[in-house]
Amino acid sequence: MTKEEKHLWYDYLKDCPVRFLRQKVIDNFIVDFYCSSLKLIIELDGSQHYDEKGIIKKDKIRTEKLEKRELTVIRIPNNEIWHNFDGVCEYIDDYVKTSMK
């Protein structure tokens, strides 16, 4: 795991009220975090995942393939982990709470 993935895992996701798995293989992809009960994938993206127009085409295709499996993909830039960790956790928490209803 990257430093950002470790931070999110150890300081939030491992104690989340729903179970997340790390480095889960789905089809021919390895996703950063996966919650089967919510059909939720969380991907942390470094700067290499972006170009001047946004998310690179390869990631868009990957997301589309995962969404065809009725999975939701949340992409979070790595810099948000370091500059807005509380906001990232609140965003995930809100998504989890809304999805559990």
Side-chain angles (χ1 to χ4, degrees):
M1 288 195 304
T2 65
K3 291 182 291 187
E4 293 81 7
E5 290 168 357
K6 287 178 185 176
H7 183 26
L8 184 61
W9 175 254
Y10 288 110
D11 298 324
Y12 180 69
L13 288 179
K14 76 175 183 71
D15 296 322
C16 195
V18 294
R19 183 171 184 238
F20 277 90
L21 300 174
R22 299 175 283 171
Q23 305 295 299
K24 171 72 175 157
V25 176
I26 300 175
D27 286 340
N28 59 338
F29 305 115
I30 300 173
V31 301
D32 294 333
F33 302 101
Y34 176 64
C35 176
S36 62
S37 64
L38 300 178
K39 295 186 173 187
L40 174 63
I41 293 168
I42 299 174
E43 290 282 277
L44 299 186
D45 293 337
S47 60
Q48 74 275 14
H49 289 269
Y50 298 92
D51 62 15
E52 60 278 349
K53 297 177 185 175
I55 297 173
I56 60 173
K57 187 175 182 178
K58 182 178 173 183
D59 287 332
K60 285 182 184 179
I61 293 168
R62 174 183 165 128
T63 297
E64 288 170 3
K65 287 182 179 182
L66 292 167
E67 288 174 342
K68 285 181 182 176
R69 294 180 59 108
E70 298 183 13
L71 301 170
T72 299
V73 178
I74 293 176
R75 293 188 163 280
I76 299 170
N78 278 348
N79 64 344
E80 287 294 310
I81 297 296
W82 299 117
H83 300 294
N84 187 23
F85 188 71
D86 289 341
V88 168
C89 295
E90 287 175 25
Y91 175 72
I92 295 168
D93 190 57
D94 288 344
Y95 184 90
V96 167
K97 287 178 180 172
T98 301
S99 297
M100 290 175 63
K101 291 181 181 179

